[in-house]
Amino acid sequence: MAGPPRLTPDAAPAPGQTAGGRATIIDVAAAAGVSRQTVTRAMNGMPGISAATKERVLAAATQLHYRPSRFGRGLVTGGEHQLGLVVNDLRNPYTPQLAAAVVRLAAEQGWNVMLADVDLASDADRMVAALGAQTDVVIGYFGSRRERWNEVLGTVPMVELDPASEPPTGAVWIDPSDSIEVLADHLVATGVRHPVVLDNSEPDEPSARGLLMLDALRRRGYLPEIVHAAHGTAECGAEETERLLGRRRRLDAILAFNDVMALGVLSACRRAGVDVPGDVRVVGVDGLPLGTLVTPTLTTLAVDLDAVAAEALELALGMLAGELPRQGAAVQRTVRHRLLLRESA
């Protein structure tokens, strides 16, 4: 009786080929002694490499019987430069707002954008490696994996958005500290006595943003409570607010980690019959347009995502052209939040 179909080949692949018998862009790059980006340029007739280098790449590709994928060829037809954008979660409204700003400004520079949502990916490392093989520069949120991805991307310039600590690459810091000070003064001026910080963090591990809020409040004489929510979602914001209101402890302001959580706070207050801002003032962070579509409209610490995208693209262009180094103070920029006072506070 015949057995099941074999899912693996009987013989090992030939040198320079994948297990399926097909050479990859990495194989060609290794054979020609160049980067993957140089292979992309040579195979697609793009400028930026010498005639001799192009000839060497094409010879290696011919020897290895390399054929670019239809998908890969499609990525390079619309512009000279290819930009990789790494994001966390497209389900969070902040992420498409950022992506839209990047795509819009990149298009003005003649760039194409290839996006990777690493939180939703089954293999984030593999996705980032694929992104690097098809792009000239990568920007985005790297988190704790930035050192590993820096190695994976090799010579591809990186611009990290809102790093948690000093980055090994270019970076655009997104700094809420000044606006938090302004917000804290506003809370004092409006008579707030018992603020709560609703953070997106693990217990006993406040986020950097949460720590800034706590510090600003404590320096003004408050004894603020911090509540840790596992996720920065509206659902978590609502659940934690319901718990806070159910304890019947004194509470007259909730400072949420982001606008999405703050929308959950507003929802929970409405269901509980708590007046906002009469009984509790509510503040978010990010400045999402969604905050203007609810009642009461949401007070927020807003960041200009167009400015974030513009700074990142300027760094990317400078690094790619060799006009800027790959790391250090010369390739770091800062975009600051500002307090937008609306009805909820």
Side-chain angles (χ1 to χ4, degrees):
M1 180 175 178
R6 295 183 64 85
L7 299 181
T8 56
D10 292 322
Q17 293 184 330
T18 64
R22 179 176 173 181
T24 69
I25 192 172
I26 297 175
D27 300 322
V28 177
V34 299
S35 69
R36 291 167 293 182
Q37 288 67 42
T38 299
V39 175
T40 298
R41 290 180 179 278
M43 297 300 296
N44 291 280
M46 299 167 63
I49 61 173
S50 68
T53 298
K54 179 179 179 180
E55 183 177 350
R56 188 167 75 252
V57 171
L58 295 178
T62 299
Q63 182 179 1
L64 294 173
H65 304 290
Y66 171 69
R67 180 174 60 86
S69 69
R70 178 171 59 85
F71 177 68
R73 289 198 304 272
L75 288 172
V76 298
T77 59
E80 179 180 349
H81 294 301
Q82 312 304 316
L83 171 69
L85 176 61
V86 176
V87 297
N88 292 330
D89 188 347
L90 284 167
R91 296 169 298 185
N92 184 333
Y94 174 89
T95 303
Q97 286 292 131
L98 171 67
V102 171
V103 170
R104 182 171 60 254
L105 293 176
E108 293 175 2
Q109 298 285 346
W111 289 48
N112 292 320
V113 177
M114 182 177 178
L115 184 144
D117 186 335
V118 293
D119 277 13
L120 299 180
S122 59
D123 188 341
D125 289 352
R126 182 178 179 181
M127 177 174 282
V128 170
L131 193 68
Q134 298 289 353
T135 59
D136 298 290
V137 65
V138 173
I139 70 173
Y141 287 86
F142 307 138
S144 61
R145 295 173 284 194
R146 67 184 186 188
E147 302 286 349
R148 183 166 73 252
W149 288 347
N150 193 20
E151 294 181 1
V152 168
L153 292 173
T155 61
V156 180
M158 293 170 59
V159 179
E160 183 173 6
L161 301 181
D162 201 21
S165 59
E166 194 68 24
T169 64
V172 177
W173 301 86
I174 305 176
D175 184 5
S177 56
D178 290 348
S179 63
I180 287 174
E181 296 294 324
V182 175
L183 171 62
D185 286 338
H186 173 72
L187 296 180
V188 172
T190 53
V192 167
R193 295 290 180 267
H194 306 288
V196 172
V197 174
L198 177 55
D199 202 16
N200 174 205
S201 59
E202 296 296 326
D204 302 321
E205 295 182 13
S207 69
R209 185 179 299 174
L211 289 172
L212 287 171
M213 291 179 176
L214 291 173
D215 179 62
L217 294 171
R218 287 166 179 161
R219 284 188 280 103
R220 287 162 176 80
Y222 289 111
L223 297 174
E225 179 181 359
I226 182 169
V227 174
H228 301 274
H231 305 287
T233 62
E235 291 77 11
C236 278
E239 290 172 3
E240 296 302 334
T241 301
E242 289 170 358
R243 293 190 183 96
L244 284 168
L245 297 175
R247 297 183 316 182
R248 300 188 181 280
R249 293 179 58 179
R250 291 180 295 179
L251 165 67
D252 57 6
I254 298 177
L255 313 185
F257 176 84
N258 61 24
D259 284 352
V260 176
M261 295 183 74
L263 294 177
V265 175
L266 290 177
S267 177
C269 287
R270 183 173 61 253
R271 290 195 299 270
V274 173
D275 179 59
V276 177
D279 299 325
V280 176
R281 290 174 172 84
V282 178
V283 181
V285 179
D286 286 333
L288 298 180
L290 285 173
T292 66
L293 303 178
V294 294
T295 302
T297 54
L298 180 63
T299 291
T300 183
L301 306 183
V303 62
D304 185 345
L305 293 179
D306 282 345
V308 172
E311 294 286 4
L313 287 170
E314 182 179 335
L315 289 177
L317 280 168
M319 295 165 73
L320 192 60
E323 298 169 354
L324 292 172
R326 295 296 179 90
Q327 64 183 90
V331 285
Q332 295 191 19
R333 304 285 188 272
T334 299
V335 177
R336 302 184 186 280
H337 294 68
R338 61 189 178 94
L339 174 62
L340 286 181
L341 282 174
R342 298 194 185 117
E343 296 167 347
S344 70

